[in-house]
Amino acid sequence: DQQVKQNSPSLSVQEGRISILNCDYTNSMFDYFLWYKKYPAEGPTFLISISSIKDKNEDGRFTVFLNKSAKHLSLHIVPSQPGDSAVYFCAATPTGNQFYFGTGTSLTVIP
Amino acid sequence: NAGVTQTPKFQVLKTGQSMTLQCAQDMNHNSMYWYRQDPGMGLRLIYYSASEGTTDKGEVPNGYNVSRLNKREFSLRLESAAPSQTSVYFCASSEAAGQGTAHTFGSGTRLTVV
């Protein structure tokens, strides 16, 4: 049973616009959340994270929002660039040992 | 700066064969992980090692064994490969287990079992 869900397999956005990637989770014990970016034939690379004590974390063009009551987090990329085209995975952990990943959203940024 | 190195990158096995996937990290990380990625399933944790000398089961450990050989190396063994183990395998490491740490991943091993 998937505890972390990314319901949009793909997303296309024009260059310069905002990309919003969504992630839902079911386990209320999750208290640390991460986003990873993955290019083809490479391993995922860490992008940004957020602890459950916060509702927002920002790093340059990337912002993660956490809504604990809705068990929902989102990643905003502003402005989107062609180099952002990749698969994005959200992940969550209750303990820092066991991590649960979503199925990924493939983002295409159109020049 | 190599980071996390996995070998081999590709492998084809026949059903019933055994093999070991190798993983080494040069970042002096304490924790290491093995994941598999299947279409529509995301990454699922097979085993992890929170520190040298310890290993624990993850979400999908059946059919696998692991060895934390030393702080740098964490291997994954398939004793009797099955077609259901066809997948892309990723090794990862982190500075420590616990909050506030992110994984550094290797580039993956694509395994096909026929």
Side-chain angles (χ1 to χ4, degrees):
Chain A
D1 188 27
Q2 197 77 19
Q3 297 191 53
V4 177
K5 300 178 183 180
Q6 294 177 256
N7 292 318
S8 297
S10 62
L11 175 68
S12 291
V13 171
Q14 289 285 338
E15 181 179 2
R17 306 293 292 269
I18 184 171
S19 296
I20 300 176
L21 294 90
N22 294 304
C23 180
D24 297 295
Y25 60 96
T26 58
N27 190 337
S28 58
M29 298 301 293
F30 289 153
D31 61 2
Y32 187 62
F33 305 87
L34 309 94
W35 284 94
Y36 289 85
K37 176 179 177 178
K38 185 183 181 304
Y39 293 117
E42 295 183 10
T45 56
F46 170 69
L47 199 55
I48 192 169
S49 63
I50 188 167
S51 165
S52 61
I53 63 173
K54 294 185 175 182
D55 55 16
K56 176 183 174 180
N57 189 26
E58 200 169 349
D59 184 1
R61 296 186 297 115
F62 302 92
T63 303
V64 55
F65 295 91
L66 175 63
N67 182 334
K68 289 186 291 295
S69 61
K71 294 191 179 69
H72 177 83
L73 69 155
S74 61
L75 174 68
H76 292 209
I77 306 173
V78 183
S80 301
Q81 299 174 353
D84 296 329
S85 296
V87 177
Y88 289 78
F89 292 96
C90 64
T93 179
T95 63
N97 286 328
Q98 297 246 16
F99 287 78
Y100 297 86
F101 283 75
T103 53
T105 297
S106 178
L107 173 67
T108 301
V109 179
I110 303 164
Chain B
N1 188 3
V4 178
T5 302
Q6 291 182 235
T7 56
K9 292 191 183 303
F10 302 93
Q11 183 71 49
V12 179
L13 288 180
K14 293 183 179 178
T15 298
Q17 286 186 317
S18 63
M19 81 161 293
T20 299
L21 280 64
Q22 307 287 353
C23 176
Q25 52 92 8
D26 61 3
M27 297 169 287
N28 202 35
H29 284 173
N30 289 301
S31 302
M32 298 186 74
Y33 309 81
W34 276 106
Y35 290 87
R36 60 178 288 173
Q37 184 189 10
D38 302 294
M41 298 295 291
L43 284 86
R44 291 182 293 168
L45 182 64
I46 305 171
Y47 271 93
Y48 67 96
S49 171
S51 61
E52 187 179 356
T54 69
T55 60
D56 285 286
K57 294 179 181 179
E59 196 178 350
V60 289
N62 291 345
Y64 305 94
N65 286 301
V66 290
S67 295
R68 184 74 183 266
L69 304 170
N70 47 56
K71 191 171 185 179
R72 290 186 63 248
E73 298 173 288
F74 189 39
S75 62
L76 178 72
R77 183 159 178 84
L78 288 71
E79 290 291 351
S80 179
S84 61
Q85 293 178 305
T86 293
S87 189
V88 180
Y89 291 85
F90 289 100
C91 177
S93 69
S94 64
E95 193 171 323
Q99 302 298 325
T101 60
H103 291 1
T104 299
F105 283 88
S107 57
T109 295
R110 185 173 294 274
L111 176 67
T112 302
V113 183
V114 297

